[in-house]
Structure formats: C-alpha cells, structure tokens
Amino acid sequence: MKQPRVVLLVLTLTLALAATAVTAVTTGFGRSGSPPVKGPQPEDLPVYQVATDFHLPDSPTWEEAKRRGHLVVGVKEDQPYLGEKDPASGRYSGFDIEIAKMMAASLGFGPTAVEFRTIASANRETALQNGQIDYYVGTYTINDNRKKQVGFAGPYFMAGQSLLVRKGEKDIEGPGDLAGKKVCSAAGSTPYQRLQKEFPKAVLVAYDTYSICVDNLLTYQVDAVSTDDPILLGYAAKVPEELKVVGAPFSEEPYGIGVPRGDTALRLALDDALAAHEKNGDWKKAYDATLGLSGNPAPQPPAIDRYPAN
Ligand code: GLU
C-alpha cells in the first residue's frame, strides 16, 4: 500500500475518532486500518533453529507450556516495528515479536507453537502473576520496583524516553518545554511516572496504549506523546508528514523479557538464549528486518544482567 493512501486512511480514522467521545475510543492509530507501511517483510526475517531435546524441569512455567503444547507470550499490538498486529491477517510482527520467537525456539517451541496475547503496559505484572502468559516481550523496562513483582531476562535493547509532536510544533523541543502542555502517555508506564515526578508542570493525560495517545495528538487533543524513542520513531516513520520526534532521550529504559517472579530457571534459560542469539547473528538480523526500518542502524546489544535469585 502506498504512503499517501495510508496518510489519508489515518486522517480519516482520526477525524472519525475526533467525532467520538475520546474516552470511548476502541480503534486507534496503530490498531485498525492500514497494514504496516514499510513493514517487516517475512522473507527478510531470520528462521530460528528450534532446540530439540530441550528440558527445563526446574521451571514450572516451561513444564506447564510443554504439557499445554504451546507457549503463550504477552506482547503489544500497536507499536510499529516493535510489536504490531496486522488487523487483516492477525499476524504479529516487529522486533519484540522476533525476540519472543527466538526465545521460544531456544526453549524448544517452533513458530507455530507460540500464541501471542496483547497485554497493555498497566497489566503486565498481573498477567505474569496470574499465569495468563508464560513470558512478556513488549518494550518492558527493567527496574527494581517491577523486580519485586516479576523477573526479567535481558536486557536485550536499550531505549530512552523521548517526545513526539506534530510536524508543525514550534514550542516543544525537549522535556523542559512541557509546562502547561498536554502530554499523553500510557498508564502504568515508566515514562508516565517520570513525567509525573520530574515534570510536574506538564498536564498529563493517560490512556491504555500509545496509539490512542497518537490519535489524540493528530486530532489536537494533546500537544505531545511521551514514551521510549523506538516506539515514537515507529509512529513518526508511519506518517512522517504529520509527526516528528524531538530532543534527545532523557532516560535509560533497558528492555527485558518479563517472566513470573521466582521462576529463576526460566529467567536464566532466557538469558542464555539471548546471549546465544546475539552471538550467532540472529539478534542483528532480526533488528535490521524490523526496528531498523524506522531509521536507526543496529546498536550493540546491552550487557545481559544475570542477577541472582531474589
Ligand atoms: N519502557 C516503558 C515501560 O516499560 C514504556 C513503554 C511501555 O509502556 O511499554 O513502561
């Protein structure tokens, strides 16, 4: 699909959205309408070697998945190049999705034995605690607070908080310009918490997802969207005529793979898997075919933090 048609579609969508009560919005920028523009091409994606004869008897999560016959992995569905669901085919794509598949392959589960489930930022800890998902890969920042509730393998990528504004915006060039401005972020996210704490003069608006924030930005309901730079760059890459990312990142957001807390065997197995896929080139190939499409060349992956059982 060509870019102008997509822009039109997005604009039509956003106009339609403007006509509905904002709180009742159920469709959004990334969730309905167009398939990914310049999206990951299936033929460019690596095929991961599925481990045979793999066993992890000390992991209750792995044992249960084996009994069930497939893994259930929590992800995002509205974050271009990271975790995005094609509404027509139901297929998920993006860098986080590739990381999830790499991990599955190392645990002995092929691509058809992975079921993806969309879980919003605010619901990740609960989903892991309730056993709704086996692990989570979706721009999930590792921090000490969250480590009290869940475990984290990784990190597998280093992001930083940034700002997305409309192309014509002149007043906002960094977080210091947010006083009195309406800024949207996702409930339960670290960027939202940082804005609240460090930029109290910004007028905060929270939704479940960033795509709803982007709809609000395009319809002039908010002045900026704030979250991690790779997420924002993805939205900007979709409609470069409408949106731009401004300023330098103002935090460090190391992305981890969330696992149920206490399942140390699973966490360390995923750390091993990650190290192996970084070493054999899968990580870089996956990055180039997905997140790399939003503009930045592949960085060095951050050092893996194999922390002791806590
Ligand atoms: N990395 C941040 C977080 O985990 C923002 C992205 C997100 O909400 O997934 O809260």
Side-chain angles (χ1 to χ4, degrees), residues 24-190:
V25 168
T26 50
T27 58
F29 176 85
R31 263 202 273 171
S32 60
S34 58
V37 187
K38 295 180 284 178
Q41 300 301 308
E43 60 273 18
D44 294 337
L45 297 173
V47 175
Y48 311 111
Q49 176 118 38
V50 181
T52 49
D53 260 342
F54 180 88
H55 297 281
L56 203 56
D58 291 342
S59 164
T61 312
W62 187 88
E63 285 288 332
E64 172 61 17
K66 210 61 198 170
R67 198 196 50 74
R68 192 193 300 131
H70 66 275
L71 285 164
V72 183
V73 182
V75 294
K76 295 290 180 67
E77 67 171 32
D78 64 337
Q79 298 184 172
Y81 310 103
L82 285 156
E84 187 169 30
K85 187 176 174 182
D86 178 348
S89 67
R91 204 174 63 87
Y92 285 83
S93 66
F95 186 57
D96 282 337
I97 303 302
E98 291 308 304
I99 295 288
K101 287 185 194 162
M102 272 177 221
M103 297 302 102
S106 294
L107 295 176
F109 295 85
T112 56
V114 183
E115 183 195 319
F116 291 111
R117 198 165 291 172
T118 303
I119 308 276
S121 295
N123 303 331
R124 293 181 281 210
E125 291 80 26
T126 322
L128 285 166
Q129 284 164 346
N130 293 350
Q132 276 168 266
I133 52 174
D134 298 320
Y135 56 89
Y136 188 94
V137 194
T139 60
Y140 197 9
T141 294
I142 303 172
N143 64 33
D144 289 343
N145 215 12
R146 288 174 176 169
K147 272 187 185 169
K148 290 178 194 148
Q149 302 174 69
V150 300
F152 285 105
Y156 62 90
F157 187 78
M158 185 61 83
Q161 186 168 353
S162 199
L163 292 167
L164 181 74
V165 295
R166 287 180 296 270
K167 199 69 186 252
E169 176 65 55
K170 299 244 162 37
D171 297 345
I172 304 173
E173 287 176 347
D177 303 325
L178 296 179
K181 301 287 184 190
K182 277 194 173 174
V183 187
C184 192
S185 193
S189 70
T190 50

Side-chain angles (χ1 to χ4, degrees), residues 191-267:
Y192 182 84
Q193 289 157 5
R194 186 168 295 102
L195 288 171
Q196 219 172 14
K197 228 172 121 199
E198 294 175 25
F199 302 96
K201 290 197 177 128
V203 182
L204 291 187
V205 179
Y207 286 103
D208 285 348
T209 65
Y210 300 109
S211 55
I212 297 181
C213 284
V214 174
D215 285 329
N216 277 260
L217 180 63
L218 287 164
T219 51
Y220 289 76
Q221 324 251 6
V222 299
D223 303 304
V225 178
S226 186
T227 185
D228 307 335
D229 50 349
I231 304 176
L232 299 179
L233 286 169
Y235 292 123
K238 288 249 177 165
V239 279
E241 306 81 359
E242 305 286 329
L243 301 171
K244 62 181 180 186
V245 176
V246 289
F250 51 97
S251 76
E252 283 200 335
E253 309 287 334
Y255 287 172
I257 301 161
V259 298
R261 189 170 189 268
D263 196 336
T264 308
L266 178 64
R267 176 164 62 80

